[in-house]
């Protein structure tokens, strides 16, 4: 970055178009540039896919029998007012109006009580949709079209008939049963005699790669690598708020929902020990022990899974913060999935298997939240089950050995992005680390319990979420402080898409073999690499470079001398990310953009929209310039939306040419 000022940056990002003839002021680019930037029209906004309604919905154990979720076709703009559905669309459609009335009568007859599924106001949800669509250049769902319908005293057959009747209506986009919470299962406690009450040395997942995630190296060699400045929200059911090694504040528990179930409380306590265990002389040390933590519990009603995702995504989280979803759902009967023998609870899937949850996750990631989602412990291939597109980072479970082979119970497939340790995780809660006291105390007080056997995608996902907090905390603080390279003078917070690429490109590859219990006839179960914080930080982020006559500038020349402008970009650790590529020239107060037709224009447009790849020393133009001062920009932004996004997505460089 050369001679860059905040004023110039603001102009670069926000200047509007005018009618000057750009191509008479700036030299034409060489034809060879087309080899680097093939012509392609701007990408259309990505359309959302509609859910497929089942022909028949079969109610099974594992689902609530007193509620269903109902989503109306968005074009009708159906809203709830005084317990009645009203069609607000301006389009005249007598059939739709009659169907709306029919659904109201149906619910009255069975004493059903519909409510809005989401907590936030209609306007707040509309704002999230609008902002997310602009940033992500994709169509998002109208969350105001979702409703939770509470039912009274219906048999399983009556519930099935109700859902089938609703799904036959053209007014309804989808109606479905919603999954009960799945009780967490961990490995059996091991009879381990403790030698010390400080278990840090046993947390070998913190160690160097290939075994661990290289957290200790990061803490020792890079500043702000403990989640500093980042907010992380854990979404599940319960926690022990009084555990000695976690140090909660009352305000950390959002919505005041905390299950009394010991299994759920132990689970949440174990998750957060991996993330925020205090760095002290006892217990465990969390990977991101300086992160700003919060927890939000699911009660299945007002604070249902979909609602708390959307609520937490706007308060307390901000773009670049982390949402950890430590939940799983049962597969629907119509999905015809059978879990392998190593799974005791049945066919379990990631929470985004439910349409409303997927819609809320997609809206959150479009608005810059990094969502980390457990792939779930169903032992299932997610290909053709869970579609791409939510942009949550999906986490599978691997062995704790250096090979990091997939564990039998872990869901797998191309939708799974990365893995964490799915066994032998030392953390807070449960109590399988027996009696750390001298003399022994029986029973061990609940607030001083630790385990060495936390497992599943439940133990894997916090490793990934905390790693992300460490990486984003470092990039944000470092780039804000030093102002060099490819920063904007503000922090650098990666979004879900870019962070996923960084973790996958720099992680320790999964083993070449399947883990124990997986049939020998199965292909390798993809669960992705184990994150490596050191590699992610050392490979870093893209660095753009632009030069005039081989110089970083500024250069002084005359109108009779050719000026050759060349550019390069190194991808760092995020090769393959979809990006907008930009070449911009500022002449006086006017901005000129080199567009995909290789023409200079005052209309804001990228030269290309393509995957990020290394490019070295290619010529943008070589010719004479008239007298004046020229500020030339080259860079990419990782929000592929055809708009120059001024913020964390933008990586660029400048050079100044003065012609006298």
């Amino acid at each position: 970055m050369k001679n860059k000022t905040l004023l110039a940056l603001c102009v670069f990002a926000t200047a509007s178009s005018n009618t000057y003839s750009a191509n008479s002021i700036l030299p034409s680019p060489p034809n060879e540039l087309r080899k680097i930037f093939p012509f392609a029209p701007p990408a259309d906004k990505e359309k959302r896919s509609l859910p497929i309604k089942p022909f028949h919905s079969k109610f099974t154990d594992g689902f609530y029998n007193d509620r269903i979720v109902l989503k109306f076709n968005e074009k009708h703009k159906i809203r709830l007012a005084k317990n009645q559905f009203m069609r607000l669309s301006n389009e005249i459609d007598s059939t739709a109006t009659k169907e709306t009335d029919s659904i109201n009568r149906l619910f009255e007859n069975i004493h059903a009580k519909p409510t809005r599924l989401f907590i936030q106001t209609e306007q707040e949800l509309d704002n999230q949709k609008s902002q997310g669509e602009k940033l992500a250049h994709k169509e998002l769902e109208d969350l105001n079209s979702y409703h939770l319908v509470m039912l009274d005293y219906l048999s399983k057959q009556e519930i099935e008939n109700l859902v089938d009747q609703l799904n036959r209506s053209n007014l309804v986009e989808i109606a479905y049963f919603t999954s009960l919470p799945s009780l967490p299962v961990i490995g059996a406690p091991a009879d381990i005699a403790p030698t010390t009450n400080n278990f840090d040395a046993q947390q070998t997942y913190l160690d160097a790669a290939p075994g661990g995630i290289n957290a200790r190296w990061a803490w020792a060699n890079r500043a702000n690598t403990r989640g500093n400045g980042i907010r992380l929200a854990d979404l599940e059911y319960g926690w022990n708020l009084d555990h000695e090694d976690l140090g909660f504040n009352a305000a950390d528990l959002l919505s005041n929902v905390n299950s009394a179930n010991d299994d759920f409380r132990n689970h949440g306590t174990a998750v957060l020990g991996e993330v925020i265990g205090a760095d002290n002389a006892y217990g465990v040390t969390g990977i991101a022990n300086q992160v700003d933590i919060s927890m939000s519990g699911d009660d299945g009603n007002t604070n249902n899974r979909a609602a708390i995702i959307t609520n937490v995504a706007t308060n307390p989280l901000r773009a670049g913060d982390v949402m950890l979803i430590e939940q799983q759902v049962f597969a629907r009967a119509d999905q015809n999935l059978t879990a392998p023998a190593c799974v005791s609870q049945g066919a379990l899937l990631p929470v985004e298997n439910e349409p409303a949850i997927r819609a809320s996750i997609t809206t959150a990631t479009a608005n810059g939240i990094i969502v980390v989602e457990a792939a779930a412990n169903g032992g299932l291939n997610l290909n053709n089950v869970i579609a791409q597109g939510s942009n949550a980072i999906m986490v599978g479970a691997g062995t704790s050995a250096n090979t990091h082979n997939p564990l039998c119970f872990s869901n797998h497939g191309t939708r799974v992005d990365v893995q964490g340790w799915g066994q032998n995780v030392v953390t807070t809660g449960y109590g399988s680390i027996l009696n750390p006291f001298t003399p022994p105390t029986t029973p061990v007080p609940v607030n001083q319990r630790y385990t060495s056997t936390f497992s599943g995608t439940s133990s894997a996902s916090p490793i990934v979420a905390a790693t992300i907090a460490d990486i984003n905390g470092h990039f944000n603080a470092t780039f804000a402080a030093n102002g060099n390279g490819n920063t904007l003078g503000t922090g650098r917070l990666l979004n879900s898409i870019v962070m996923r690429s960084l973790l996958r490109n720099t992680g320790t590859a999964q083993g070449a073999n399947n883990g124990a219990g997986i049939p020998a006839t199965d292909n390798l179960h993809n669960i992705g690499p184990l994150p490596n914080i050191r590699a992610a930080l050392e490979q870093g982020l893209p660095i753009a470079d632009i030069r005039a006559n081989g110089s970083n500038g500024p250069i002084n020349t005359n109108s009779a001398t050719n000026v050759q402008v060349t550019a390069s970009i190194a991808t760092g650790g995020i090769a393959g990310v979809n990006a907008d590529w930009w070449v911009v020239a500022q002449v006086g107060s006017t901005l000129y953009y080199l567009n995909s037709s290789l023409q200079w224009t005052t209309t804001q447009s990228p030269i290309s929209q393509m995957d990020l790849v290394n490019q070295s020393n290619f010529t943008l133009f070589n010719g004479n310039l008239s007298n004046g001062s020229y500020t030339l920009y080259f860079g990419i932004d990782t929000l592929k939306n055809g708009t120059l996004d001024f913020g964390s997505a933008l990586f660029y460089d400048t050079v100044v040419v003065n012609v006298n």
Side-chain angles (χ1 to χ4, degrees):
M1 181 177 67
K2 286 80 73 174
N3 297 324
K4 193 178 297 181
T5 67
L6 184 59
L7 175 61
L9 295 178
C10 293
V11 171
F12 179 36
T14 61
S16 59
S17 62
N18 56 46
T19 57
Y20 291 129
S21 176
N23 292 291
S24 65
I25 297 175
L26 295 158
S28 297
N31 291 332
E32 289 77 11
L33 200 58
R34 179 60 69 208
K35 297 177 182 178
I36 297 175
F37 300 115
F39 174 77
D44 293 329
K45 180 186 290 187
E46 180 183 333
K47 298 295 185 182
R48 72 179 183 93
S49 57
L50 296 177
I52 299 174
K53 298 183 189 180
F55 177 77
H56 171 61
S57 297
K58 182 179 180 181
F59 186 89
T60 58
D61 293 338
F63 290 83
Y64 285 102
N65 61 8
D66 64 349
R67 69 202 67 181
I68 61 171
V69 174
L70 168 65
K71 188 196 178 189
F72 288 106
N73 189 309
E74 293 184 6
K75 74 175 184 178
H76 295 293
K77 201 173 177 64
I78 293 175
R79 299 292 184 264
L80 193 63
K82 297 180 180 180
N83 297 319
Q84 293 280 309
F85 290 115
M86 299 180 62
R87 183 172 173 273
L88 303 182
S89 172
N90 293 325
E91 179 184 340
I92 298 174
D93 188 334
S94 59
T95 301
T97 301
K98 290 178 180 178
E99 283 195 61
T100 305
D101 293 339
S102 177
I103 290 174
N104 282 326
R105 288 193 299 272
L106 171 63
F107 286 166
E108 288 174 359
N109 291 338
I110 62 174
H111 307 291
K113 301 177 182 64
T115 62
R116 295 178 68 245
L117 182 65
F118 290 93
I119 302 169
Q120 293 171 297
T121 66
E122 288 191 25
Q123 187 59 58
E124 288 171 333
L125 293 180
D126 286 343
N127 291 344
Q128 287 185 55
K129 181 177 188 292
S130 175
Q131 178 68 12
E133 288 185 335
K134 178 181 177 183
L135 291 172
H137 201 54
K138 65 189 298 183
E139 182 183 11
L140 299 177
E141 289 195 51
D142 179 6
L143 300 183
N144 285 309
S145 296
Y146 278 99
H147 298 84
L148 182 67
V149 183
M150 303 302 295
L151 308 173
D152 285 336
Y153 311 113
L154 295 185
S155 67
K156 289 184 179 181
Q157 185 63 57
E158 288 171 327
I159 296 173
E160 291 177 0
N161 292 341
L162 173 63
V163 170
D164 288 345
Q165 183 177 347
L166 291 169
N167 278 327
R168 285 194 293 270
S169 170
N170 292 328
L171 208 63
V172 173
E173 185 170 299
I174 189 73
Y176 59 91
F177 315 120
T178 184
S179 176
L180 286 162
S182 166
L183 284 170
V185 175
I186 70 163
D191 189 6
I192 302 171
T195 58
T196 177
N197 67 349
N198 188 336
F199 307 118
D200 180 86
Q202 297 181 37
Q203 293 179 266
T204 50
Y205 54 88
L206 303 176
D207 291 351
I213 60 171
N214 251 321
R216 301 190 201 278
W217 178 91
W219 298 341
N221 294 279
R222 295 289 188 272
N224 301 295
T225 51
R226 294 175 182 262
N228 308 70
I230 301 299
R231 297 175 183 175
L232 188 151
D234 178 33
L235 277 56
E236 45 182 303
Y237 303 102
W239 308 264
N240 175 6
L241 302 182
D242 297 313
H243 195 283
E244 64 173 0
D245 211 12
L246 297 181
F248 293 118
N249 296 313
D252 296 335
L253 181 62
L254 308 176
S255 69
N256 202 32
V257 175
N258 190 13
S259 173
N261 181 288
D262 284 342
D263 287 328
F264 285 139
R265 287 201 170 191
N266 272 315
H267 186 275
T269 303
V271 165
L272 291 191
E274 295 181 60
V275 179
I276 62 166
D279 185 11
N280 51 33
Y282 64 89
V284 297
T285 302
I287 298 165
N289 52 70
Q290 296 298 313
V291 81
D292 185 358
I293 196 70
S294 61
M295 302 88 71
S296 190
D298 169 20
D299 64 7
N301 296 308
T302 303
N303 294 289
N304 61 76
R305 298 183 193 96
I308 61 176
I309 289 169
T310 304
N311 201 42
V312 169
T314 54
N315 182 26
L317 299 188
R318 312 148 300 182
D321 288 333
V322 185
M323 181 187 299
L324 171 60
I325 302 179
E326 278 282 335
Q327 298 168 305
Q328 55 191 358
V329 296
F330 290 99
R332 302 185 310 274
D334 64 272
Q335 292 179 289
N336 296 314
L337 298 173
T338 301
C342 62
V343 174
S344 62
Q345 291 180 287
L348 292 164
L349 293 172
V351 292
E352 68 176 65
N353 187 58
E354 296 196 1
I357 300 175
R358 178 178 173 83
S360 59
I361 291 173
T362 306
T363 299
T365 58
N367 282 282
I369 306 299
I370 300 179
V371 176
V372 177
E373 181 181 1
N377 303 325
L380 301 168
N381 187 342
L382 299 183
N383 293 350
N384 303 316
V385 177
I386 302 295
Q388 303 285 348
S390 76
N391 290 325
I393 296 175
M394 192 81 72
V395 182
T399 58
S400 54
N402 289 359
T403 52
H404 302 302
N405 293 325
L407 288 163
C408 177
F409 58 76
S410 178
N411 287 342
H412 51 276
T414 56
R415 180 61 189 89
V416 181
D417 299 304
V418 291
Q419 65 168 293
W421 278 29
Q423 59 181 192
N424 302 325
V425 170
V426 175
T427 183
T428 46
Y430 289 107
S432 71
I433 292 180
L434 300 181
N435 233 306
F437 307 109
T438 304
T441 300
T442 304
V444 177
V446 67
N447 296 330
Q448 295 175 289
R449 291 179 183 171
Y450 298 85
T451 182
S452 60
T453 58
F454 192 39
S455 63
T457 55
S458 294
S459 65
S461 299
I463 290 175
V464 174
T467 292
I468 290 168
D470 287 359
I471 292 170
N472 247 3
H474 172 76
F475 283 148
N476 186 51
T478 302
F479 283 103
N482 65 22
N484 67 5
N486 52 359
T487 182
L488 307 180
T490 59
R492 173 71 65 188
L493 289 164
L494 308 186
N495 62 22
S496 259
I497 297 173
V498 179
M499 184 64 74
R500 177 174 59 197
S501 178
L502 180 65
L503 297 180
R504 288 182 61 84
N505 288 345
T506 61
T508 301
Q510 74 171 78
N513 300 303
N514 285 326
I518 298 175
T521 54
D522 278 18
N523 293 325
L524 182 64
H525 288 191
N526 178 74
I527 56 169
L530 178 73
N532 180 342
I533 301 177
R534 177 176 182 174
L537 297 182
E538 288 187 333
Q539 292 191 35
L541 301 177
I543 297 178
D545 182 68
I546 187 170
R547 297 172 183 251
N549 291 345
S551 170
N552 290 327
I555 70 166
N556 297 299
T557 185
N558 58 64
S559 59
T561 301
N562 273 13
V563 175
Q564 184 180 27
V565 176
T566 58
S568 302
I569 192 161
T571 64
I574 66 168
V577 168
N578 290 334
D580 290 336
W581 295 63
W582 298 92
V583 177
V584 184
Q586 181 180 347
V587 185
S589 61
T590 304
L591 295 180
Y592 300 97
Y593 301 85
L594 192 59
N595 65 18
S596 58
S597 298
L598 299 187
Q599 298 291 315
W600 292 102
T601 175
T602 55
T603 300
Q604 187 181 101
S605 56
I607 188 173
S608 184
Q609 294 179 299
M610 65 181 194
D611 291 350
L612 180 57
V613 293
N614 289 317
Q615 296 286 0
S616 179
N617 200 36
F618 57 90
T619 298
L620 295 174
F621 66 77
N622 186 5
N624 302 104
L625 294 171
S626 301
N627 289 351
S629 181
Y630 301 77
T631 303
L632 306 168
Y633 302 82
F634 167 69
I636 61 100
D637 79 65
T638 56
L639 293 175
K640 184 184 173 185
N641 56 12
T643 300
L644 186 52
D645 296 290
F646 182 75
S648 293
L650 185 59
F651 301 85
Y652 73 102
D653 192 26
T654 66
V655 64
V656 174
V657 179
N658 297 309
V659 182
N660 301 308

